[in-house]
Amino acid sequence: MNKKIINIAVIAHVDAGKSTLVDAFLSQAGVFRANEEVKEQVMDSNDQERERGITIYSKNCAIEYNDYKINIVDTPGHADFSSEVERIMKTVDTVILLVDSSEGPMPQTRFVLSKALELGLKPILLINKIDKKDQRALEVVDEVLELFMELDANDEQLEFKTLFGIAREGIAQYSMDKESKDLSPLFETIIKQVGNYPLELVEQDAQLQISSLAYDSFIGRLGIGRLFKGTLKEGQQVSISKNDGSINREKISGLFVYQGLKRVSVKEAQAGDIVVISGIKDLTIGDTVNNVDKIDPLPPIIIEEPTMSMNFLVNTSPFAGKVGKFVTTRNIKERLDKELEVNVGLKVEALTDSSADGFKVLGRGELHLSVLIESMRREGFELGISRPEVVFKVGPNKEKLEPIEKVIVDVPSEYSGTVINKLNLRKGKMLDMDSDGVRDKVTYSVPTRGLIGFKSEFTNDTRGEGVMVKSLVGYEEYRGPIEGRNNGVLISMASGVSLPYALNNLEDRGILFIGPQVQVYDGMIVGLHSKDNDLEVNPTNAKKLTNTRSSGTDDAIKLTPPRKFTLEEALDFIEWDELVEVTPDDVRLRKKWLSSNERKQHRNDPH
């Protein structure tokens, strides 16, 4: 029973170095064996996290430093996973705010910092990557101080400690000119600021709030949270105060704490520690665990509402069921119900349209929902996904409100005019512009719906040299209609296999999405039309043979490589009358109504 327990969270914008800092914590605390091969960003254990290079799910680990146990929570930096950040804040004593020495505070920095300040936490600022050639660490400290003041930090919070470091090399130092060899200055600062968990709370009645959920195939659902008061024992009878006010009596069958990267079983856990309990089937986030005869529920954890929705439909294409294992409404419902148990930023509603077979899924953004779709695809699901739509609200005067995002773009000066023009067309409002003669940094306020499909355009317009970051700032009055995609699409009017001869003839019509020898069906989208209308084409058309043929008549046809879509790009591309067909092997584009006659009937129906 180690009574010196400290809980910390590492918060920052995407790519500031959170997971790298946690790697350094674990390494210097001796968690890894001397001969152990360790991956970078060891906490990013999920396949998609490693592929995308971002943290999606907050995760726990624990290290020993001197006679202290320090629980560390690695949090996501992307705005779409903010629900992961919100509930974790309640379980920690302090946060390490990581800021890039050249970028300074970014939009997501503001969000995660505001959550910490609202809960009364006093952050420790670590200016990371001070080895960069363009570092401006001291200026960045002033920018962070201004951000604290903008967020109404109290006097104590404004007296935050500042350190400088290189997370990749595991170095933290008290000042720019006071060099260090390891993270000792950061460890010492944490201990000095937080101190011991109050011992008198250990003697009180147990109080644990569930802040996240996990699932183990052997022992079932796991509830994770901080034990604020008292002690809990394996096999103990407890009362569970639910978010709806009801109280259940349950038994804790398993009790665990974190040790390094592992979850270890213990007989007893004490106040201050982050613990994991098993054996309670219907445990949900926000539930409070107390002693049976001493019920003392904590306020429920409130998560911000979703801002975007997509319809997850049963795949109705002619290729349905050829690859996937899970293709029915029941399969999809069971999987979404399972996701709801652990993904608190998600909501699922039944579709009101009787002609559609599926569910309306609401989340915190395109990335939040596309990560779920990608997970389902890899698990063997087949889905038809509709165009992303924002979630509108009604204001106090019955006015229509829509989600607004703050967008910061950093682009070479030669491309800034194009980007500014595009953002203006998407109902954006310029807030600030700064230039050093080579690159322009432009800040905009843009409706979320105006940013759907903008990312790929932005990459093309800036030749891949532009950087764009965005974060939700709230809801404002509806800014009016936004023009959609300017081009129509090429729609296959036949089923079969695409042939080089047919595709060669179609290249003059636009940009193709498929190559030769690809299975197509009637209603499948095979390319982007060069004009603004949809065009029905036959990619399976073969060259007619004649009786006489001379040598050299059939030279090899050279086709332009087709444009390939990632899942996110496909979701950005489609219009209201189109779907993305997602299977374990393929991501295809199709019309919602496959036959030409059906499309004519619904031509003017945007619903």
Side-chain angles (χ1 to χ4, degrees):
M1 294 283 284
N2 185 343
K3 290 185 167 53
K4 293 185 176 180
I5 297 171
I6 295 174
N7 295 341
I8 63 170
V10 185
I11 61 173
H13 185 77
V14 179
D15 283 340
K18 296 182 302 301
S19 299
T20 305
L21 178 64
V22 175
D23 285 354
F25 272 133
L26 292 165
S27 178
Q28 294 186 24
V31 170
F32 307 119
R33 299 188 310 275
N35 64 341
E36 188 172 353
E37 185 180 334
V38 182
K39 293 179 182 176
E40 289 186 356
Q41 287 87 45
V42 68
M43 293 284 278
D44 289 344
S45 52
N46 178 275
D47 286 346
Q48 288 196 65
E49 289 180 318
R50 301 205 71 82
E51 288 168 20
R52 296 170 185 265
I54 60 172
T55 301
I56 295 173
Y57 308 104
S58 60
K59 288 174 284 293
N60 302 67
C61 64
I63 59 173
E64 302 283 338
Y65 182 78
N66 294 341
D67 54 349
Y68 283 86
K69 178 185 179 182
I70 302 176
N71 285 308
I72 304 169
V73 186
D74 183 20
T75 62
H78 200 286
D80 284 21
F81 307 107
S82 54
S83 58
E84 292 277 328
V85 179
E86 290 172 58
R87 64 179 190 269
I88 293 305
M89 293 293 185
K90 288 191 174 185
T91 68
V92 299
D93 301 301
T94 189
V95 293
I96 299 171
L97 177 65
L98 218 59
V99 180
D100 188 291
S101 65
S102 63
E103 289 180 350
M106 302 297 272
Q108 184 64 5
T109 313
R110 169 185 286 269
F111 174 82
V112 291
L113 178 59
S114 68
K115 292 297 173 189
L117 296 177
E118 282 170 19
L119 291 169
L121 297 173
K122 183 180 176 182
I124 296 168
L125 174 64
L126 177 61
I127 305 296
N128 191 24
K129 305 182 185 179
I130 58 171
D131 55 336
K132 277 184 163 182
K133 287 182 181 178
D134 59 345
Q135 68 85 11
R136 48 187 192 91
L138 299 179
E139 283 179 51
V140 169
V141 174
D142 292 336
E143 289 175 10
V144 174
L145 180 59
E146 287 175 17
L147 181 58
F148 269 71
M149 291 190 280
E150 282 177 33
L151 295 172
D152 297 324
N154 60 38
D155 292 344
E156 187 185 357
Q157 288 169 332
L158 287 171
E159 295 294 323
F160 58 85
K161 295 279 188 262
T162 302
L163 292 96
F164 304 86
I166 309 167
R168 191 179 63 249
E169 296 178 17
I171 293 172
Q173 52 198 56
Y174 290 110
S175 64
M176 287 295 288
D177 53 4
K178 197 170 184 180
E179 292 189 4
S180 164
K181 294 179 181 177
D182 55 25
L183 292 175
S184 298
L186 183 54
F187 281 121
E188 296 299 333
T189 303
I190 293 167
I191 291 168
K192 189 175 178 183
Q193 178 162 310
V194 178
N196 295 348
Y197 196 76
L199 292 180
E200 62 271 16
L201 294 178
V202 179
E203 308 303 323
Q204 296 184 17
D205 295 305
Q207 186 185 55
L208 162 74
Q209 186 166 41
I210 303 301
S211 58
S212 49
L213 298 168
Y215 186 82
D216 186 291
S217 54
F218 294 104
I219 54 179
R221 187 184 289 198
L222 304 172
I224 306 166
R226 182 171 201 171
L227 183 55
F228 290 99
K229 299 177 187 174
T231 57
L232 284 177
K233 295 179 181 178
E234 188 180 67
Q236 181 178 337
Q237 291 282 341
V238 292
S239 64
I240 310 289
S241 299
K242 310 292 290 178
N243 289 328
D244 61 6
S246 63
I247 298 171
N248 299 339
R249 188 167 174 167
E250 303 281 356
K251 178 183 176 183
I252 296 173
S253 63
L255 188 64
F256 309 85
V257 297
Y258 289 97
Q259 190 174 307
L261 292 166
K262 298 182 179 71
R263 195 173 64 223
V264 295
S265 177
V266 291
K267 296 295 181 187
E268 187 174 352
Q270 68 170 45
D273 215 344
I274 292 177
V275 302
V276 185
I277 59 174
S278 67
I280 302 169
K281 285 184 181 177
D282 59 348
L283 208 56
T284 56
I285 286 164
D287 288 356
T288 305
V289 180
N290 296 123
N291 291 343
V292 172
D293 53 345
K294 299 287 184 181
I295 296 164
D296 182 17
L298 286 162
I301 295 173
I302 298 168
I303 305 298
E304 288 191 12
E305 292 293 306
T307 58
M308 190 167 284
S309 71
M310 296 178 194
N311 292 341
F312 284 35
L313 307 170
V314 170
N315 185 16
T316 56
S317 92
F319 297 164
K322 288 189 175 181
V323 180
K325 294 183 289 184
F326 308 109
V327 296
T328 65
T329 313
R330 181 177 60 82
N331 292 146
I332 297 169
K333 184 179 189 307
E334 286 174 357
R335 178 62 179 83
L336 292 175
D337 286 344
K338 180 183 170 187
E339 187 69 21
L340 286 171
E341 293 181 358
V342 293
N343 194 338
V344 293
L346 204 69
K347 284 188 177 180
V348 176
E349 297 175 359
L351 285 175
T352 53
D353 184 1
S354 58
S355 65
D357 200 2
F359 303 91
K360 183 177 183 179
V361 182
L362 301 94
R364 295 282 293 162
E366 278 180 278
L367 185 60
H368 184 202
L369 293 170
S370 68
V371 165
L372 171 58
I373 296 166
E374 181 63 27
S375 297
M376 292 176 71
R377 183 172 85 87
R378 294 180 184 199
E379 291 165 19
F381 282 83
E382 289 193 8
L383 299 163
I385 308 293
S386 71
R387 177 177 170 79
E389 294 180 0
V390 299
V391 178
F392 294 103
K393 287 185 178 180
V394 179
N397 301 317
K398 306 294 183 188
E399 72 274 27
K400 188 177 183 181
L401 302 178
E402 66 174 330
I404 302 291
E405 304 205 26
K406 183 179 181 181
V407 179
I408 297 176
V409 295
D410 187 332
V411 297
S413 299
E414 65 211 82
Y415 306 131
S416 62
T418 305
V419 173
I420 288 169
N421 184 47
K422 291 264 177 91
L423 288 172
N424 288 339
L425 289 173
R426 292 165 181 267
K427 304 296 181 184
K429 294 178 182 176
M430 188 186 287
L431 304 176
D432 187 34
M433 183 170 179
D434 190 26
S435 177
D436 61 4
V438 179
R439 294 183 72 88
D440 295 343
K441 186 176 180 180
V442 189
T443 306
Y444 258 83
S445 159
V446 189
T448 299
R449 63 195 167 94
L451 294 171
I452 296 172
F454 180 62
K455 189 176 178 183
S456 55
E457 274 189 48
F458 175 79
T459 304
N460 291 334
D461 290 340
T462 61
R463 307 296 187 270
E465 294 182 50
V467 178
M468 178 174 69
V469 289
K470 55 181 183 168
S471 70
L472 185 74
V473 292
Y475 276 75
E476 292 181 14
E477 199 162 334
Y478 181 69
R479 292 189 183 176
I482 296 173
E483 205 173 288
R485 192 178 66 212
N486 295 324
N487 297 69
V489 290
L490 302 176
I491 309 164
S492 174
M493 59 192 294
S495 298
V497 178
S498 60
L499 297 173
Y501 173 76
L503 297 180
N504 187 48
N505 291 331
L506 293 179
E507 283 200 331
D508 292 340
R509 299 287 191 171
I511 299 168
L512 294 176
F513 299 160
I514 62 166
Q517 301 303 309
V518 173
Q519 290 281 347
V520 297
Y521 55 80
D522 184 10
M524 180 172 155
I525 296 171
V526 296
L528 181 69
H529 193 198
S530 54
K531 297 181 180 178
D532 61 1
N533 63 303
D534 291 346
L535 182 68
E536 294 185 12
V537 298
N538 184 359
T540 67
N541 191 26
K543 183 175 182 180
K544 301 294 183 289
L545 299 179
T546 60
N547 290 334
T548 57
R549 300 179 68 176
S550 60
S551 156
T553 304
D554 281 335
D555 289 331
I557 293 172
K558 292 183 179 177
L559 295 170
T560 305
R563 178 181 171 185
K564 297 292 184 183
F565 286 93
T566 63
L567 176 59
E568 281 89 356
E569 287 168 347
L571 293 170
D572 283 346
F573 178 83
I574 59 173
E575 287 292 343
W576 66 270
D577 64 336
E578 296 163 0
L579 297 174
V580 178
E581 181 189 349
V582 179
T583 73
D585 290 350
D586 296 291
V587 174
R588 301 186 190 93
L589 303 178
R590 53 162 284 191
K591 283 293 183 179
K592 191 178 289 185
W593 296 280
L594 293 177
S595 77
S596 181
N597 287 336
E598 281 184 308
R599 289 197 294 274
K600 286 173 184 172
Q601 288 173 17
H602 295 91
R603 183 175 292 160
N604 299 314
D605 174 20
H607 304 293

